[in-house]
Amino acid sequence: AGPGSYTVGTMSERFDCHYCRDPLQGKKYVQKEGRHCCVKCFDKFCANTCIECKKPIGADSKELHFKNRYWHDSCFRCFKCYTSLVNEPFMLRENNKVWCSNCTAAEDAPRCKGCFKPIIAGDQNVEYKKMVWHKDCFTCSQCKQVIGSGSFFPKGDDFYCVSCHEHKFAKTCAKCKNPITSGGLTYQEQPWHSECFICSNCKKQLGGKRFTAVEDQFYCVECYKECVAKKCAGCKNPITAGFGRGTSVVNYEDESWHDYCFKCTKCARGLANKRFVCHNGKIYCAECPKRL
């Protein structure tokens, strides 16, 4: 912005105002565009109008102009903070309003989604999916504590710190009853920590491995064979239904057999799901006892 370029002076010789024809000799006058006029006529016919207060800028006032726009020097202030912009950097914005550089930066800066105030250069901030917060405004929707640059979990328009998310949303382990924050597995529609789903005997984790359940206890294949499985009365090996060869078990009185081991002592005919005879503690088909 620059000052107006008018010439103000006094006349000692006969000289009349261009407009009212009053003599200007010995009076204060204004020269504009080759014409001389008294101060009163200048204010009435020639003065520019201040774009801010809409009043004429008289001959006795200091004038500032920028891009064919005019201000009283006292009106040339920041639209936002009212700081005088005479000899200060400024920007002309919408509606012909002038702004200081600080207010311009603040107005153009992104707005904090928490406090809705501008985030200016140097402010610590958090960005997520094209949204931005002051660091201290990014808080947990549940406990209201500052998350800042820490870990968080988004849920719709809300954000939760790790602790609140665990208590509010995380699944609870069927064994230890604590939240499952990562990983884990599911067995019979119940969630488990991987470190909680273990063999009851050797304590090895069973996730991704073969196991069997006995009365709410879990066993790996080796421990089931060693500690739980019944021994076949025929081959004397563990009967592990579902593991290895054979899935059926034959039970008679207090003994058990693999289905493929339950056969006639004399002719070795398989007797699973067939008639048999027990003689002197041994198993026979229906025909062999007649030949004894």
Side-chain angles (χ1 to χ4, degrees):
S5 55
Y6 308 132
T7 301
V8 180
T10 59
M11 291 292 294
S12 59
E13 299 179 0
R14 175 75 183 184
F15 202 75
D16 297 338
C17 172
H18 176 77
Y19 296 98
C20 67
R21 314 312 297 178
D22 285 348
L24 298 176
Q25 186 176 5
K27 296 180 180 179
K28 190 174 182 179
Y29 72 93
V30 180
Q31 181 180 343
K32 183 180 181 182
E33 298 177 354
R35 298 173 179 175
H36 301 81
C37 59
C38 64
V39 172
K40 182 178 179 180
C41 288
F42 174 84
D43 291 349
K44 183 176 181 180
F45 299 109
C46 303
N48 293 311
T49 301
C50 176
I51 199 169
E52 183 63 29
C53 70
K54 310 304 181 186
K55 295 179 181 180
I57 305 174
D60 293 329
S61 299
K62 290 183 179 180
E63 178 184 277
L64 297 173
H65 69 276
F66 177 73
K67 292 185 176 181
N68 295 322
R69 296 169 177 84
Y70 301 88
W71 294 262
H72 294 102
D73 67 337
S74 59
C75 292
F76 197 63
R77 297 178 176 273
C78 175
F79 173 73
K80 194 76 172 177
C81 68
Y82 305 109
T83 299
S84 174
L85 295 178
V86 178
N87 299 322
E88 296 292 336
F90 68 92
M91 177 174 287
L92 188 65
R93 296 174 65 91
E94 59 274 6
N95 299 322
N96 292 319
K97 301 298 183 181
V98 286
W99 294 58
C100 68
S101 55
N102 290 336
C103 290
T104 298
E107 184 70 13
D108 293 338
R111 296 276 170 172
C112 172
K113 190 171 174 59
C115 67
F116 305 106
K117 295 180 180 179
I119 298 175
I120 60 177
D123 286 348
Q124 291 185 312
N125 61 80
V126 176
E127 294 186 30
Y128 177 75
K129 288 188 175 181
K130 298 182 179 180
M131 297 181 289
V132 63
W133 294 259
H134 292 107
K135 184 178 179 180
D136 291 340
C137 292
F138 190 60
T139 60
C140 173
S141 298
Q142 182 78 13
C143 67
K144 309 303 179 184
Q145 296 297 310
V146 174
I147 298 174
S149 56
S151 298
F152 65 92
F153 293 88
K155 285 287 183 180
D157 293 331
D158 296 324
F159 300 89
Y160 297 89
C161 65
V162 174
S163 177
C164 288
H165 182 268
E166 288 179 358
H167 288 90
K168 190 174 181 66
F169 299 105
K171 294 180 179 179
T172 301
C173 176
K175 182 177 181 180
C176 70
K177 309 304 179 185
N178 290 321
I180 300 174
T181 57
S182 63
L185 51 87
T186 301
Y187 174 69
Q188 292 187 342
E189 298 183 355
Q190 288 186 312
W192 300 71
H193 288 114
S194 296
E195 58 271 22
C196 290
F197 196 70
I198 59 177
C199 174
S200 296
N201 186 58
C202 69
K203 310 304 179 185
K204 291 181 180 179
Q205 293 187 20
L206 298 176
K209 299 180 180 178
R210 299 175 69 197
F211 68 93
T212 189
V214 180
E215 297 179 353
D216 297 327
Q217 298 294 316
F218 304 108
Y219 297 91
C220 63
V221 175
E222 291 75 15
C223 289
Y224 178 77
K225 291 179 179 179
E226 182 71 23
C227 306
V228 182
K230 294 180 179 180
K231 301 301 188 289
C232 176
C235 68
K236 309 305 179 183
N237 290 319
I239 301 174
T240 54
F243 300 123
R245 180 185 172 193
T247 58
S248 299
V249 180
V250 177
N251 295 303
Y252 177 68
E253 295 186 346
D254 293 329
E255 294 186 303
S256 300
W257 290 260
H258 295 107
D259 60 348
Y260 53 83
C261 290
F262 192 64
K263 54 190 178 181
C264 177
T265 303
K266 185 171 181 63
C267 68
R269 181 186 302 172
L271 298 177
N273 299 316
K274 297 180 180 179
R275 294 178 62 193
F276 64 92
V277 176
C278 183
H279 181 68
N280 294 330
K282 297 182 179 180
I283 304 298
Y284 299 91
C285 66
E287 300 298 327
C288 283
K290 298 176 183 178
R291 303 176 187 143
L292 294 176

